Amino acid sequence: GNSVTQMEGPVTLSEEAFLTINCTYTATGYPSLFWYVQYPGEGLQLLLKATKADDKGSNKGFEATYRKETTSSHLEKGSVQVSDSAVYFCALYRDSSYKLIFGSGTRLLVRP
Amino acid sequence: GAVVSQHPSWVICKSGTSVKIECRSLDFQATTMFWYRQFPKQSLMLMATSNEGSKATYEQGVEKDKFLINHASLTLSTLTVTSAHPEDSSFYICSAKPSGRRLTDTQYFGPGTRLTVL
């Protein structure tokens, strides 16, 4: 079946540190990959997406490349800010079923 | 724009009672809404897909008689947890897909409703 595995958090970083959040998936065919962010007290927001192999999505300084050969997509940011503190979800989307399959989320805490 | 609200944000109820959770798209129409359940430190699990004017489609293992979904208008879907029990305590999240857009474009998520059943 389809599944998504994310690194466990929380991830605690100092401001301006480099961020990597790992995500791997199992799926048949060619799913799209999404990254969502959930700030405290708010709903999930789409952060970026990659719809095919080797696609690189980017937004707000975050980047993620869809690595089909390793079935992974790692979220990265070169210099995190306190305002980036949130929970980040990796999700897999299948056109055939229109469903989003989420990873367990990784909480990021950035300290000043 | 593209805001989804949920009401209530949290609710505590006694075992055996029913609880209704509302999901509204505030500034767009949504023919399709989704209901998810999230356990602590776990991922969001899709419970059902709610389609305006038709019956909801439930995921395998979700009791449709226990989790009643009504999508009576293009901006409102409701989830009613009937005869709630402590094991139904969870965080319920809805999302809405704007009408006319492909599903891959985006879904807009509500902030969630925390249900505690005593």
Side-chain angles (χ1 to χ4, degrees):
Chain A
N2 302 316
S3 66
V4 179
T5 302
Q6 272 184 254
M7 61 185 289
E8 285 192 28
V11 173
T12 303
L13 296 173
S14 297
E15 207 165 21
E16 298 184 1
F18 183 84
L19 168 71
T20 299
I21 297 177
N22 297 326
C23 172
T24 58
Y25 70 90
T26 57
T28 56
Y30 305 98
S32 298
L33 289 176
F34 293 73
W35 281 94
Y36 284 86
V37 58
Q38 185 175 31
Y39 298 104
E42 299 183 18
L44 276 74
Q45 302 173 26
L46 181 63
L47 180 60
L48 52 85
K49 63 181 179 181
T51 57
K52 60 183 186 295
D54 298 325
D55 246 6
K56 177 182 279 190
S58 62
N59 185 26
K60 299 181 180 179
F62 290 89
E63 289 186 342
T65 300
Y66 182 169
R67 303 284 187 196
K68 183 172 179 293
E69 67 277 11
T70 57
T71 62
S72 66
S73 173
H74 305 314
L75 183 68
E76 297 180 335
K77 187 174 185 180
S79 176
V80 294
Q81 305 300 313
V82 172
S83 57
D84 293 326
S85 298
V87 180
Y88 293 83
F89 292 89
C90 178
L92 183 156
Y93 175 79
R94 297 301 305 273
D95 277 322
S96 59
S97 64
Y98 61 78
K99 297 175 189 175
L100 281 168
I101 300 169
F102 284 89
S104 56
T106 302
R107 182 175 299 277
L108 170 65
L109 177 61
V110 181
R111 300 191 184 281
Chain B
V3 177
V4 175
S5 70
Q6 282 185 240
H7 178 79
S9 55
W10 58 270
V11 57
I12 300 173
C13 69
K14 293 182 179 180
S15 187
T17 61
S18 295
V19 174
K20 180 184 285 187
I21 302 170
E22 294 185 347
C23 176
R24 292 182 185 273
S25 55
L26 297 185
D27 48 5
F28 65 96
Q29 293 184 333
T31 51
T32 304
M33 292 184 174
F34 303 87
W35 286 96
Y36 297 84
R37 183 172 178 176
Q38 184 180 28
F39 293 99
K41 299 183 180 180
Q42 294 188 28
S43 62
L44 282 72
M45 303 292 292
L46 179 64
M47 298 175 65
T49 303
S50 169
N51 295 299
E52 187 267 337
S54 64
K55 291 183 179 180
T57 304
Y58 290 82
E59 294 301 301
Q60 191 173 8
V62 178
E63 299 177 61
K64 61 181 180 181
D65 294 331
K66 180 167 190 61
F67 298 100
L68 299 178
I69 292 173
N70 185 295
H71 193 155
S73 79
L74 287 171
T75 59
L76 173 64
S77 176
T78 60
L79 169 69
T80 301
V81 183
T82 62
S83 186
H85 291 284
E87 58 266 29
D88 298 324
S89 298
S90 192
F91 197 55
Y92 293 88
I93 301 173
C94 74
S95 70
K97 183 187 88 68
S99 299
R101 292 192 190 183
R102 293 181 61 237
L103 281 167
T104 50
D105 280 347
T106 195
Q107 295 176 25
Y108 295 97
F109 284 81
T113 296
R114 183 162 302 284
L115 169 64
T116 301
V117 184
L118 303 178

